Amino acid sequence: MPRVVGVTETGTRQLVVGSVRRRLRLLRQDLWTLRADPLPPSVWLRWLPHGVVCLAALGIALGDMAQLQDNGYLGFAFAFPIGVAQGGAAVLALWRPIPAWWLSLAATVVGAVALHGRLSMEHGVTFTWPWTVAGIIAHLFVLLLVGLRVPTRVSAEVLAGTALVTYVLQGLWGAANYQPTGVIAVCLSAITVVLGMALRGRREARTELDRQTTLTTEERARRTLLEERSRIARELHDVVAHHMSVISIQAQVAPHLVENPSEELQENLAGIRQNALEALTELRRVLGVLRAEHPDAPEQGADPGTGTAPHAPQPTLDRIDALVENTRAAGATVTLRVSGERWSLPSGVELSAYRIAQEALSNVLRHAPGAQAHVHIAYLPNGVVVEVTNTHPTRPAPPSHGAGHGLLGMRERATMLNGTLRAGPDRDGGYRVYAYLPVSPDDETGAPESGAAEAPVPADQAAAPTATSAPPDDPKDDTA
């Protein structure tokens, strides 16, 4: 049994010794350093705080030398370096707070030792000891800058070191015929350190809040982008699924339209139908993942993002007249002009053109109350142009609760089709959205002759604002 107790005591002793060593090592890393930690310039006053500290340091040096010479009867050879050290510590704290604290503490100890014999033996006058008045002011400047720059743990260590040195000088050593200033110095030092730590904590909290605000803004923009891409993917799924269903049905019906079809033809058509069915199955799986964002939400009524029912056919430019009428019913004055020969565009192009026009008209209703809107759809031999303009609003727009990224979705749709989109204020104070959606040669099955449509709108006539005139935060950039 004694052997077990001895082993336990040995283990406990090793743990205590190891803990003490770690704390001493941490203390040495905190206080025995020349690491630079400069005080940054003020946001509004720039370098004014640094100039104030430098002027205060000059006053501290002159005042400390005068007090040491006149009241402490020290010679200039002693008073000058002590005063310069006290004032210089305040300036040094602007860049290296921990070395400045050591310098201020060392100057205080040297001054206390130099005055100790004179106070007890020669003059017998009442004198502030071990801290001089200028020494206290200088040390408070240093402690404030230390609290502003270093972590809370280091500030507490600095305050404890100041209190310990003061206790050793005044409490353990002492001197005769003097006015003790240790308690006052320690109390003021504690208040100053707490003030510095509080200001530092406030600054860090504000910096963290700004960082979190920036991250939240970026995350909101990223989430809006992903939601818009998911919405586009769901809509394209419906378009592709329709074509695949048609392919499957045509492949199933084709053998009945030919007398005595060969086995090779039947096998090829069966393979086409089987591939189409497999593609439809994969598309349904993808759509299930995309629609799993809110699996418990009932699919009732119209989708607020698209304005259509959940399982309604995807809109095309054939419904642009209904869109304009709905906008007029909401109280806006809208005119529609369609130029060029109407031809069958690919489903993805039709859907994107309709959504861009819908989003632009929604922004007119939301951000330009009382303005007149004009929609121009131009069919070209190699694509389609969607242009929505509005005049200057006649009354202020109410606050919008949207995410502020409506143009993001329009640009996503145009980029997906290798098109272009320009949006911005025009010269008359209104707003203009111009989108060109091209059609690849492989998809131009229903395109008219090249001379049957108007030429594309030139880029220099797009009236899109330049990089210098466009506002950084577009007020019309909102979700539908």
Side-chain angles (χ1 to χ4, degrees):
M1 191 66 179
R3 183 177 182 181
V4 176
V5 173
V7 173
T8 305
E9 292 178 352
T10 303
T12 304
R13 190 183 302 110
Q14 291 178 351
L15 289 177
V16 172
V17 172
S19 177
V20 172
R21 287 180 177 177
R22 285 194 299 270
R23 293 182 182 278
L24 291 177
R25 189 181 305 112
L26 185 63
L27 186 64
R28 185 186 64 181
Q29 293 175 356
D30 290 340
L31 300 183
W32 197 253
T33 177
L34 295 176
R35 181 179 62 254
D37 196 357
L39 184 71
S42 174
V43 176
W44 301 106
L45 304 178
R46 299 303 295 168
W47 298 101
L48 181 60
H50 297 71
V52 171
V53 172
C54 292
L55 290 177
L58 179 60
I60 288 169
L62 296 178
D64 202 25
M65 284 190 294
Q67 187 178 10
L68 292 175
Q69 287 181 292
D70 297 340
N71 299 334
Y73 299 99
L74 287 180
F76 181 79
F78 286 98
F80 178 76
I82 295 175
V84 170
Q86 292 282 12
V91 177
L92 181 61
L94 292 171
W95 290 273
R96 299 180 183 272
I98 298 301
W101 173 74
W102 280 111
L103 179 60
S104 177
L105 205 61
T108 299
V109 172
V110 171
V113 172
L115 292 171
H116 182 270
R118 293 178 177 274
L119 292 175
S120 60
M121 291 186 301
E122 291 186 8
H123 303 284
V125 297
T126 302
F127 190 82
T128 57
W129 189 89
W131 291 89
T132 62
V133 176
I136 293 177
I137 297 175
H139 203 68
L140 293 181
F141 267 103
V142 172
L143 290 179
L144 178 61
L145 294 174
V146 167
L148 289 173
R149 301 307 302 158
V150 301
T152 303
R153 183 190 70 250
V154 182
S155 298
E157 293 169 353
V158 166
L159 178 60
T162 300
L164 179 61
V165 171
T166 303
Y167 172 73
V168 170
L169 290 176
Q170 180 177 311
L172 299 183
W173 193 26
N177 301 321
Y178 72 94
Q179 181 180 356
T181 54
V183 176
I184 297 177
V186 172
C187 291
L188 292 178
S189 298
I191 295 174
T192 303
V193 170
V194 171
L195 177 62
M197 290 189 297
L199 293 177
R200 170 184 167 85
R202 180 177 178 273
R203 185 181 68 248
E204 290 179 347
R206 185 172 56 190
T207 302
E208 180 65 19
L209 179 61
D210 293 341
R211 190 180 70 87
Q212 290 297 332
T213 302
T214 303
L215 292 177
T216 302
T217 304
E218 295 176 354
E219 184 62 27
R220 186 183 297 113
R222 189 180 300 110
R223 185 174 64 250
T224 303
L225 174 62
L226 293 177
E227 290 175 355
E228 185 63 27
R229 288 181 176 179
S230 177
R231 174 184 165 189
I232 294 173
R234 287 194 296 266
E235 294 175 348
L236 289 181
H237 162 270
D238 296 340
V239 173
V240 176
H242 168 72
H243 289 295
M244 297 303 297
S245 298
V246 172
I247 293 174
S248 175
I249 295 173
Q250 289 178 343
Q252 185 178 8
V253 174
H256 301 285
L257 302 178
V258 181
E259 293 187 14
N260 300 322
S262 62
E263 295 183 359
E264 292 81 1
L265 178 61
Q266 292 181 356
E267 291 178 358
N268 289 334
L269 292 175
I272 292 174
R273 183 173 183 274
Q274 183 64 29
N275 290 332
L277 292 176
E278 291 178 358
L280 279 174
T281 302
E282 294 298 327
L283 283 173
R284 291 191 185 98
R285 292 175 181 173
V286 173
L287 183 63
V289 173
L290 293 176
R291 286 178 175 170
E293 299 172 359
H294 305 286
D296 299 330
E299 294 186 356
Q300 298 178 358
D303 184 359
T306 61
T308 58
H311 302 289
Q314 295 299 336
T316 62
L317 288 177
D318 292 334
R319 296 173 55 184
I320 193 68
D321 292 328
L323 176 63
V324 172
E325 289 298 328
N326 290 336
T327 308
R328 290 171 181 166
T333 302
V334 186
T335 59
L336 173 65
R337 182 167 69 94
V338 179
S339 61
E341 181 182 349
R342 176 77 168 89
W343 59 287
S344 179
L345 296 169
S347 301
V349 177
E350 291 261 2
L351 175 62
S352 296
Y354 179 89
R355 291 301 188 202
I356 290 174
Q358 181 187 41
E359 177 66 32
L361 290 176
S362 298
N363 285 340
V364 172
L365 290 174
R366 185 179 295 110
H367 301 290
Q372 297 181 1
H374 177 71
V375 181
H376 179 207
I377 307 296
Y379 290 95
L380 308 176
N382 56 349
V384 64
V385 170
V386 178
E387 183 180 10
V388 180
T389 59
N390 64 269
T391 59
H392 191 276
T394 59
R395 57 184 183 272
S400 175
H401 301 287
H405 300 285
L407 287 179
L408 187 63
M410 290 191 281
R411 288 196 175 95
E412 283 289 314
R413 293 181 183 276
T415 303
M416 177 185 63
L417 299 173
N418 295 324
T420 58
L421 186 137
R422 299 183 182 91
D426 56 20
R427 299 182 181 89
D428 299 329
Y431 203 84
R432 183 174 185 273
V433 175
Y434 172 88
Y436 168 64
L437 306 179
V439 177
S440 61
D442 297 336
D443 296 334
E444 291 182 0
T445 54
E449 296 298 329
S450 59
E454 296 180 359
V457 179
D460 57 352
Q461 298 179 6
T466 61
T468 57
S469 63
D473 295 323
D474 193 353
K476 296 290 289 294
D477 191 3
D478 207 341
T479 54

